[in-house]
Amino acid sequence: MAVAWKNKRYMTISVVIPFYNESISIKKTLLCLDGQELQPDEVIFVNSGSTDNTAEIIHTHISNTNKNNYQIIYCGEMSPSSSINKGIDSASSDLIAYVDCGLDIPSNWLKESLSVMKNGDCDIVSIQINTKGETLIDQSFISQTYGINSLTTCLPGSIIKKDVIEKLGRFITKSRASYDVDFINKIVKNNYKRRINKSTTFKYFGINYSNNFFAASKKVYSYSLNAWNAEGDFKPYIYLTLFIISVPLIIFNLGFYFLSSYIFLRGYLAPYMKSKNIPLFQCPLLILTIPLAGFIIDISRLAGYIKSYSINGK
């Protein structure tokens, strides 16, 4: 189905969804897409080397619903950013709508985002994700990253003009994260217009970040690899600088003051400022788990940055 545009052209929409072992959430994702008030012209599922039955679930759904505009392309094991690029290469529409599995997508997503793009005469429309956390550990990591009950503007859920992607180039490859920071910085640097669809809010199905400390550490570590390649992402430089500064402080017996400041700023102040509309420390256990989550994030990021730098020289 083509959508009439104000300059009498017809704009078509391709939804690109990379997946890797998403059998738990993929049915909900499919139902969210089926329920869109404005149906996309095509939906491209990119199989990133999934080892469970996600692809079979999608195939069965396509067969049972006669969704001839749904397709799966197999790309082998690769990063989310590389998978998205493969989906973009296969897309035939004027607009690319990229979204992740595991998100509860409101039925007005495409309709409202397209309206914002048309009325705002912009090149990319993004949405906001409401993060809250499901369990004690999940809330601890959410408070340290996005904030509990906070609205975070992100790249997943965005609608982007394909010709803009062609001009800027594809997402940086072999990256689980930071490719969004890199792409948005390119949008800003090249004076393309980005607007936010504030009438559509996404949220996660179930766990928002992680349900245990070990899995969270692995996630942060893998997300930190290749972050050096992201234009405008200064976190690797900040982390290494702080690490270098901390060494002489510890050597000259100033470690207590550094540690005390770290626990206060990273452990409590940062998550308190990020989280909204909730008494962050209403649960006594959060007083223990929130700073621990912050420490795990920092150590895992630093390890990922150092590993990536030692391999690639950057």
Side-chain angles (χ1 to χ4, degrees):
M1 178 184 66
V3 179
W5 204 250
K6 65 179 181 180
N7 60 4
K8 304 304 181 183
R9 285 204 306 134
Y10 285 89
M11 303 294 283
T12 51
I13 303 175
S14 293
V15 176
V16 174
I17 307 177
F19 70 87
Y20 178 81
N21 293 350
E22 298 286 351
S23 60
I24 295 177
S25 65
I26 193 61
K27 290 183 180 179
K28 294 179 180 178
T29 301
L30 288 163
L31 290 176
C32 287
L33 293 172
D34 292 347
Q36 288 299 301
E37 296 172 16
L38 174 65
Q39 284 293 301
D41 294 89
E42 64 179 356
V43 178
I44 302 172
F45 293 92
V46 186
N47 188 340
S48 305
S50 190
T51 57
D52 66 2
N53 65 332
T54 305
E56 287 77 7
I57 294 173
I58 298 173
H59 278 301
T60 299
H61 183 83
I62 293 173
S63 177
N64 291 340
T65 57
N66 295 316
K67 289 288 186 179
N68 297 323
N69 60 331
Y70 286 26
Q71 62 172 302
I72 300 177
I73 59 174
Y74 181 79
C75 298
E77 188 170 352
M78 59 174 55
S79 66
S81 61
S82 299
S83 296
I84 298 167
N85 289 338
K86 290 288 186 181
I88 293 171
D89 291 338
S90 299
S92 59
S93 300
D94 304 296
L95 300 174
I96 302 297
Y98 150 57
V99 70
D100 287 332
C101 294
L103 290 171
D104 188 358
I105 307 169
S107 61
N108 66 349
W109 167 48
L110 293 176
K111 179 181 178 181
E112 292 297 329
S113 293
L114 189 65
S115 176
V116 171
M117 178 171 281
K118 181 174 72 172
N119 295 329
D121 191 24
C122 57
D123 305 290
I124 173 174
V125 175
S126 296
I127 54 85
Q128 296 175 311
I129 294 181
N130 176 258
T131 52
K132 60 178 182 177
E134 292 294 314
T135 64
L136 181 70
I137 294 177
D138 194 27
Q139 286 185 343
S140 298
F141 281 100
I142 285 296
S143 69
Q144 288 284 5
T145 49
Y146 309 113
I148 297 176
N149 276 4
S150 295
L151 291 175
T152 303
T153 301
C154 56
L155 192 62
S158 296
I159 294 182
I160 313 165
K161 292 180 179 177
K162 190 176 182 181
D163 60 356
V164 170
I165 299 176
E166 299 291 353
K167 293 173 183 176
L168 293 179
R170 297 292 189 262
F171 297 119
I172 55 174
T173 59
K174 301 178 181 179
S175 176
R176 285 201 63 187
S178 297
Y179 62 87
D180 52 351
V181 175
D182 179 83
F183 187 79
I184 294 303
N185 284 330
K186 288 177 181 177
I187 288 284
V188 174
K189 182 179 179 180
N190 289 273
N191 297 315
Y192 287 110
K193 292 183 180 180
R194 183 193 190 195
R195 300 202 183 281
I196 310 301
N197 171 11
K198 294 185 178 180
S199 63
T200 303
T201 302
F202 285 22
K203 61 182 180 180
Y204 288 96
F205 291 120
I207 297 299
N208 291 198
Y209 198 91
S210 179
N211 200 28
N212 66 79
F213 291 116
F214 180 71
S217 178
K218 289 180 60 179
K219 180 176 182 177
V220 174
Y221 175 81
S222 64
Y223 277 22
S224 302
L225 296 173
N226 297 315
W228 298 97
N229 298 325
E231 181 177 332
D233 189 354
F234 299 108
K235 288 197 297 292
Y237 302 95
I238 294 172
Y239 269 78
L240 284 182
T241 300
L242 291 175
F243 175 71
I244 293 171
I245 292 175
S246 68
V247 173
L249 290 177
I250 294 174
I251 292 176
F252 291 103
N253 295 321
L254 297 174
F256 172 77
Y257 302 100
F258 175 80
L259 182 60
S260 299
S261 299
Y262 172 82
I263 292 175
F264 173 73
L265 295 173
R266 177 51 155 156
Y268 298 113
L269 184 60
Y272 177 79
M273 294 179 66
K274 291 178 179 179
S275 299
K276 301 176 182 178
N277 304 321
I278 185 172
L280 187 60
F281 303 115
Q282 63 183 357
C283 174
L285 286 176
L286 280 173
I287 298 177
L288 299 175
T289 56
I290 285 179
L292 179 58
F295 178 74
I296 289 173
I297 289 172
D298 290 341
I299 290 297
S300 302
R301 276 182 180 165
L302 184 61
Y305 294 151
I306 293 175
K307 177 68 172 181
S308 180
Y309 191 93
S310 63
I311 294 176
N312 303 317
K314 183 178 178 180

